[in-house]
Amino acid sequence: MTAHAETAVADTALADALRQRARAVPEDWTVEVCAACTSTNSVLLDQTGRDTRLLFALEQTAGRGRRGRAWTARPGDSLTFSLRHTFALRADALSGLSLAVGVVLADALLARGITDIALKWPNDLMRADRKLGGVLIELSSPPAGDTTAVIGIGINLALPPAGDYAHAPAALYPDAPDREVWLDVGAALADALARMLPQFAAQGFAPFVDHWNRYNLHAGRVVSVTGDRTQLCGRCLGADRDGALRLDCDGRVERVLAGDVSLRAAP
C-alpha cells in the first residue's frame, strides 16, 4: 500500500453499490471508493500492476488539474475519480484520448438531461462559458513497451467555494446531491469510459472526432492559443482526427497538439 493509499479509508459499501449500478464495467476491473485521499491520480500512479482500476474519492485534499492548477472542492460538491488502464500501444498512439474521454462524458451527462454541455479543447467540460469539469491524463510506459494511462476526472456536482478560478465554475446541480444521485452519476460516467476504451484502443480518436466537433465550445469563433512555444490566433475549425486543434489563421490552417497551452476566445 502506498503512502497516499495509507491515509485513504475505503468505503466498501459505496464501492459495491457503485459496481452494481455500473453494468458496463467489466468484472475484472477493480472498483474502489475512499473517503479521502490526496489525489486519485497520485494514488493510482503510485500503485503497480496491469489491472484496470477505478478509484473514486469523496474528498481530495490535493486534487489537481492541467498546468499544475489545484482542483478545489468541498466534500460532496464534486465527483472526483481516476481510471488506470494499460494499453497495448505506444504513448504516441494515445493522441486524442482526453478528447475521446470528454465526448463520452458529455454524452453520459446529456443522457441524464444536462442539455447545455460543451467541450473546450483539449480537456474541459463546460456549461456555456463556465467550467463544469476537466480531464487530466498522465502516462507511464512499463518495461513491456505498453502504456499505462491514468485518466483523472473531476465534475462539479455543486458549485465549489469562492476563489480565484481561471474559468468561472459551473455545476450540475444547485446544491450538493444526495448519495443516490452521486451513485447514479458516478456509475453513468464509469460505464461511458468502459464502453469507450476498447474502441479507442482499436481505432484511436478518429471515431470520436465528428462528435467532439459537435460539442466544440469555440466552433467558428476566433480564439487565441498561447504557450511556451506557441502564440496563435485564428478561427477555430475544431479537432483533427488525431486530436490536434485546427485553426484558420488568415487562410493558413495551423495545427496545435495538446500540451502546455492555453486556449481562450479572442476579445
Side-chain angles (χ1 to χ4, degrees):
M1 184 173 286
T2 70
H4 293 298
E6 285 173 1
T7 61
V9 178
D11 190 325
T12 55
L14 202 55
D16 290 344
L18 186 63
R19 175 174 277 287
Q20 289 175 5
R21 300 189 190 206
R23 297 180 180 178
V25 170
E27 291 185 3
D28 61 349
W29 285 22
T30 299
V31 179
E32 299 172 301
V33 179
C34 66
C37 69
T38 53
S39 156
T40 53
N41 263 32
S42 295
V43 171
L44 293 185
L45 284 166
D46 281 354
Q47 295 177 353
T48 59
R50 294 175 57 87
D51 58 321
T52 300
R53 304 179 75 88
L54 266 170
L55 174 64
F56 287 76
L58 303 182
E59 179 184 9
Q60 288 189 130
T61 58
R64 64 187 192 278
R66 284 184 69 242
R67 313 191 81 190
R69 296 191 180 102
W71 180 269
T72 305
R74 293 174 295 228
D77 282 357
S78 184
L79 181 69
T80 52
F81 68 101
S82 296
L83 167 65
R84 189 189 72 192
H85 181 75
T86 298
F87 291 87
L89 298 166
R90 290 175 29 171
D92 56 6
L94 301 185
S95 175
L97 177 59
S98 68
L99 281 74
V101 171
V103 166
V104 299
L105 297 181
D107 283 348
L109 294 175
L110 180 63
R112 293 188 56 82
I114 311 298
T115 59
D116 55 351
I117 298 293
L119 295 174
K120 176 178 175 290
W121 186 90
N123 57 3
D124 287 342
L125 283 88
M126 312 290 287
R127 295 193 76 172
D129 285 325
R130 293 176 174 265
K131 183 170 177 176
L132 174 67
V135 179
L136 175 64
I137 296 181
E138 298 178 270
L139 304 178
S140 63
S141 296
D146 299 336
T147 304
T148 296
V150 174
I151 304 168
I153 294 164
I155 304 287
N156 290 327
L157 299 177
L159 285 175
D164 183 17
Y165 298 101
H167 292 284
L172 291 181
Y173 306 106
D175 302 298
D178 60 21
R179 179 180 181 272
E180 293 300 306
V181 173
W182 186 94
L183 282 168
D184 283 345
V185 176
L189 300 188
D191 278 346
L193 293 174
R195 296 187 184 103
M196 178 274 293
L197 286 179
Q199 185 176 16
F200 186 91
Q203 299 175 273
F205 179 61
F208 303 93
V209 61
D210 290 340
H211 206 166
W212 191 95
N213 285 325
R214 288 196 289 272
Y215 281 117
N216 181 12
L217 175 70
H218 293 113
R221 298 165 67 181
V222 177
V223 299
S224 62
V225 179
T226 57
D228 292 341
R229 301 181 182 180
T230 305
Q231 183 73 47
L232 292 170
C233 185
R235 185 169 58 88
C236 182
L237 302 177
D240 213 338
R241 291 172 61 87
D242 61 355
L245 181 70
R246 298 171 67 244
L247 297 178
D248 181 349
C249 302
D250 295 325
R252 183 185 73 259
V253 175
E254 296 279 359
R255 283 169 31 94
V256 182
L257 292 171
D260 193 16
V261 297
S262 175
L263 172 66
R264 295 285 187 274

